[in-house]
């Protein structure tokens, strides 16, 4: 049985749509957004 997850990386075409999904559907909150050239890196944290 999985009891915790450390870090997950997903590659997506629409960063803002993905961030919205994880906030609305999974309850994650954006902690930080880094832009590196044409790449955006979002850091999220769960509520619990």
């Amino acid at each position: 049985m999985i009891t915790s997850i450390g870090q997950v990386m997903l590659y997506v075409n629409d960063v803002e749509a993905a961030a919205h999904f994880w906030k609305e559907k999974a309850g994650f909150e954006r902690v930080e957004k880094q832009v590196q050239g044409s790449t955006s890196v979002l850091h999220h944290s769960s509520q619990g």
Side-chain angles (χ1 to χ4, degrees):
M1 172 190 291
I2 298 173
T3 58
S4 66
I5 294 178
Q7 184 176 19
V8 175
M9 181 179 290
L10 302 172
Y11 293 92
V12 299
N13 291 323
D14 187 337
V15 173
E16 293 305 321
H20 179 77
F21 168 83
W22 286 104
K23 178 179 176 151
E24 296 301 318
K25 301 296 183 183
F28 284 72
E29 292 293 329
R30 183 182 295 181
V31 175
E32 180 181 3
K33 178 178 180 180
Q34 299 175 357
V35 178
Q36 301 167 353
S38 63
T39 303
S40 294
V41 179
L42 302 178
H43 298 269
H44 287 79
S45 177
S46 65
Q47 300 275 354

